[in-house]
């Protein structure tokens, strides 16, 4: 990646040695392992994890996104190119998936699992990694990216799982409009445009909520792992994981290079395209009648492999 003139950020990139990347990322995966270990030990209880996930999804995580976008410099001249890079990368991957589906004749349930395994991303891990590598400036860029990626990927995921049954515009758009992450992004951007800031201690309140979001989210990621599902379709799990963890970040790098994105924007884009798929993909797959066993295996394998692939990708592209 091109060297950025401003080197006062917390990021160990560009040109970072592997040890700096490991020091930034290993605590995140330690939290994931801790979440898995706690669930195995039934601590605090099996009922704790669904409640923790809902608390994070509906309150803590939206607070992080809202506060990041409410303070974001939306006049950054690189933002239109970053938005174009996000949509272009997702669009190319989606067209490739449609072509492969046509060649292989996948049913919707299987196609939906592969689509989510390749296009969706673990938001909790992504923001935790961006925060460790790039600090608040990186989190602001990540929040802007999420405002584009979350609705786009959700629409493609729902469509792929229901392709054979047909789906109305209402059934596609209503879950998007009710998504708390999307609402938080939209609310934060609109609040930003008012120019009034976050007065009366609101900034501190949101910061406290946001600070709890990422560690709790990483613990929930670990608690959702299902290693028992890895004994199924090994080839399918392997190639889908390779596409998500290796091919997608390389695609993101090519798009960033072609659009001449600045160094930090390029790094954040590549990182988000290098993330494992989201644990919530399992819930959506099960709800819409997809291949939930395949989806559980993809989520687990990608999360485990990401501990090495994220460091490798960021080192290669630094």
């Amino acid at each position: 990646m091109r060297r950025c003139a401003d080197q006062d950020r917390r990021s160990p990139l560009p040109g970072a040695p592997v040890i700096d990347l490991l020091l930034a990322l290993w605590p995140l995966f330690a939290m994931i392992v801790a979440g898995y270990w706690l669930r195995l030990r039934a601590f605090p209880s099996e009922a704790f994890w669904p409640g923790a996930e809902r608390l994070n999804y509906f309150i803590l995580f939206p607070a992080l996104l809202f506060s990041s976008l409410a303070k974001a410099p939306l006049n950054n001249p690189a933002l239109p190119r970053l938005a174009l890079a996000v949509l272009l990368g997702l669009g190319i991957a989606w067209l490739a998936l449609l072509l492969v589906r046509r060649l292989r004749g996948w049913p919707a349930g299987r196609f939906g699992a592969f689509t989510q395994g390749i296009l969706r991303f673990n938001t909790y891990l992504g923001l935790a990694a961006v925060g460790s590598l790039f600090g608040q400036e990186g989190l602001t860029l990540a929040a802007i990216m999420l405002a584009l990626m979350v609705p786009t990927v959700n629409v493609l995921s729902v469509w792929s799982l229901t392709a054979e049954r047909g789906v109305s515009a209402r059934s596609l758009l209503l879950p998007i409009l009710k998504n708390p992450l999307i609402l938080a992004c939209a609310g934060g951007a609109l609040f930003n445009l008012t120019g009034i800031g976050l007065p009366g201690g609101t900034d501190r309140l949101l910061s406290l909520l946001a600070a709890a979001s990422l560690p709790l989210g990483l613990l929930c990621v670990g608690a959702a792992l299902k290693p028992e599902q890895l004994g199924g379709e090994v080839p399918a799990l392997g190639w889908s994981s390779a596409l998500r963890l290796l091919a997608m970040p390389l695609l993101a790098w090519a798009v960033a290079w072609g659009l001449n994105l600045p160094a930090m924007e390029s790094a954040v884009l590549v990182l988000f395209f290098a993330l494992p798929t989201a644990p919530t993909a399992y819930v959506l797959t099960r709800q819409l009648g997809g291949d939930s066993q395949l989806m559980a295996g993809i989520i687990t394998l990608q999360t485990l492999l990401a501990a090495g692939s994220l460091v490798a990708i960021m080192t290669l592209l630094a």
Side-chain angles (χ1 to χ4, degrees):
M1 281 178 194
R2 295 167 296 283
R3 186 173 295 273
C4 180
D6 180 12
Q7 293 295 325
D8 62 355
R9 61 181 185 266
R10 286 171 50 199
S11 165
L13 300 176
V18 177
I19 188 64
D20 287 345
L21 290 167
L22 287 173
L23 289 174
L25 295 176
W26 81 260
L28 313 183
F29 289 95
M31 292 288 288
I32 292 173
V33 172
Y36 176 69
W37 184 83
L38 288 172
R39 185 181 65 81
L40 285 184
R41 298 297 182 274
F43 181 84
S45 70
E46 193 65 33
F48 168 80
W49 299 106
E53 178 68 29
R54 285 178 59 81
L55 173 66
N56 213 0
Y57 185 70
F58 285 100
I59 297 178
L60 303 181
F61 203 38
L64 171 61
L65 296 178
F66 183 94
S67 61
S68 295
L69 280 172
K71 298 179 290 186
L74 297 182
N75 59 347
N76 184 337
L79 292 185
R81 280 182 294 161
L82 179 62
L84 177 60
V86 167
L87 297 177
L88 189 58
L90 290 176
I92 292 171
W94 173 243
L95 291 175
L97 278 166
L98 290 176
L99 177 61
V100 175
R101 185 201 179 205
R102 185 179 182 85
L103 295 174
R104 300 295 298 271
W106 289 328
R110 191 170 180 82
F111 177 54
F114 287 136
T115 295
Q116 293 186 92
I118 293 168
L119 295 186
R120 293 191 74 165
F121 51 93
N122 191 317
T123 313
Y124 298 137
L125 178 56
L127 284 181
V130 167
S132 294
L133 292 170
F134 305 106
Q136 185 57 49
E137 186 180 354
L139 285 174
T140 298
L141 288 173
I144 293 169
M145 285 179 54
L146 287 176
L148 293 169
M149 294 179 75
V150 170
T152 303
V153 169
N154 273 273
V155 167
L156 295 178
S157 298
V158 172
W159 187 90
S160 64
L161 284 163
T162 57
E164 292 170 351
R165 304 195 298 268
V167 62
S168 66
R170 183 177 183 277
S171 60
L172 271 178
L173 296 178
L174 189 58
I176 305 303
L177 296 176
K178 295 166 62 177
N179 187 303
L181 307 187
I182 296 170
L183 292 175
C185 289
L190 290 174
F191 206 82
N192 186 310
L193 295 175
T194 66
I196 64 176
L198 295 171
T202 310
D203 186 20
R204 179 61 179 157
L205 171 62
L206 291 174
S207 296
L208 289 170
L209 293 171
S213 173
L214 295 179
L216 181 61
L218 292 172
L219 289 172
C220 289
V221 169
L225 294 180
K226 297 179 175 13
E228 65 275 7
Q229 302 290 353
L230 294 178
E233 304 181 60
V234 175
L237 296 178
W239 68 255
S240 63
S241 296
L243 288 176
R244 176 64 219 179
L245 301 177
L246 300 177
M248 287 294 284
L250 291 176
L251 170 63
W253 175 83
V255 169
W257 180 82
L259 295 176
N260 196 31
L261 283 180
M264 179 174 285
E265 284 80 353
S266 298
V268 173
L269 180 73
V270 170
L271 190 152
F272 262 85
F273 274 65
L275 294 170
T277 192
T280 50
Y282 176 78
V283 178
L284 182 64
T285 303
R286 189 173 55 187
Q287 288 177 343
L288 295 181
D291 190 337
S292 57
Q293 183 173 351
L294 174 63
M295 191 74 255
I298 290 174
I299 292 167
T300 298
L301 182 60
Q302 287 189 13
T303 304
L304 295 174
L305 293 177
S309 66
L310 267 180
V311 175
I313 286 293
M314 300 308 287
T315 301
L316 284 173
L317 300 182

